[in-house]
Amino acid sequence: MMAEKKKCRTQERIGVYPGSFDPLTNGHLDVIRRASKLFDKLIVGVLVNDSKKNPLFTMEERVALIKKATAGIPNVEVGSFKGLLVDFVKENNAVAIVKGLRAVSDYEYELQMAALNRHIDSDIDTIFLMADIQNSFLSSSVVKELAWHGGNIDGLVPDEIKEDIVRSINRLRSGSSES
Ligand code: PNS
């Protein structure tokens, strides 16, 4: 009798989706939803980026907002990291980095990052998901700028966190007009 093929996998396949997420947009959320279907577990990794000036949210706030917006996706976890992304990937026993690509302009930088990360650790690959065409113009910066000028950010960010974003922008605005 032919030996039965072993079907059970012993290890979870874990992916890491890294970023600043200041704030999370619907473009990020779309990548999270789609990537969560490709892995047993997807970890959203929020970069602790001390060098970025005037962040809208602290790292803890960003983690909390992403948790709020992804509460309905069972295999998504949210963490934060300092330093090298590949170290965070290894610490979490992940096999791949997930990135979203919006336009050709993203490609050059992402190509360099993917090559650099593979140079650091050749076991870690980067998987790219093409952004949904309706999110091709969307970025955290665009959301911040629009909200700063009083524009409507409905449909650009998850409904669950929209008020948090508007409140935080308004707080920054009133702070800047006082000084
Ligand atoms: O949302 P962002 O700001 O475009 O995300 C950028 C991020 C976090 C993916 C990138 O800055 C990163 O990987 N930072 C960690 C430091 C690192 O590993 N750099 C590459 C090797 S020097």
Side-chain angles (χ1 to χ4, degrees):
M1 209 166 90
M2 245 179 20
E4 205 176 304
K5 249 192 179 167
K6 240 189 174 173
K7 276 185 190 154
C8 60
R9 266 206 325 256
T10 49
Q11 241 194 323
E12 280 189 307
R13 295 198 77 75
I14 302 171
V16 166
Y17 178 43
S20 303
F21 305 111
D22 189 38
L24 182 83
T25 68
N26 275 344
H28 296 132
L29 188 59
D30 178 54
V31 172
I32 292 171
R33 280 213 185 91
R34 288 157 59 197
S36 72
K37 294 178 189 155
L38 303 176
F39 295 94
D40 298 312
K41 181 162 90 182
L42 182 75
I43 302 173
V44 181
V46 179
L47 176 70
V48 180
N49 195 344
D50 301 327
S51 66
K52 276 206 179 169
K53 279 190 197 151
N54 306 323
L56 182 57
F57 292 109
T58 65
M59 181 275 291
E60 289 81 5
E61 288 170 332
R62 282 179 269 153
V63 168
L65 292 175
I66 299 168
K67 282 185 178 168
K68 204 186 206 185
T70 59
I73 316 173
N75 62 334
V76 170
E77 287 181 11
V78 188
S80 62
F81 71 101
K82 247 188 170 143
L84 289 181
L85 172 58
V86 288
D87 290 339
F88 181 70
V89 171
K90 277 188 282 186
E91 280 158 24
N92 285 283
N93 299 315
V95 292
I97 296 163
V98 175
K99 290 289 191 83
L101 279 184
R102 287 163 300 189
V104 179
S105 50
D106 285 341
Y107 177 81
E108 211 168 324
Y109 173 75
E110 293 300 345
L111 174 70
Q112 186 185 18
M113 283 301 122
L116 181 58
N117 286 329
R118 277 202 76 224
H119 170 77
I120 303 170
D121 189 325
S122 58
D123 284 339
I124 299 171
D125 242 308
T126 304
I127 290 176
F128 292 98
L129 295 183
M130 302 311 293
D132 191 292
I133 202 77
Q134 70 185 25
N135 296 325
S136 58
F137 64 92
L138 192 48
S139 68
S140 299
S141 314
V142 160
V143 165
K144 281 185 276 198
E145 186 160 354
L146 188 56
W148 180 270
H149 294 292
N152 185 354
I153 58 169
D154 278 359
L156 303 185
V157 296
D159 288 342
E160 299 87 341
I161 65 170
K162 188 194 139 192
E163 289 311 320
D164 298 272
I165 296 168
V166 171
R167 209 178 309 120
S168 186
I169 290 273
N170 287 342
R171 207 170 43 224
L172 273 183
R173 271 171 72 192
S174 56
S176 76
S177 61
E178 276 164 20
S179 56

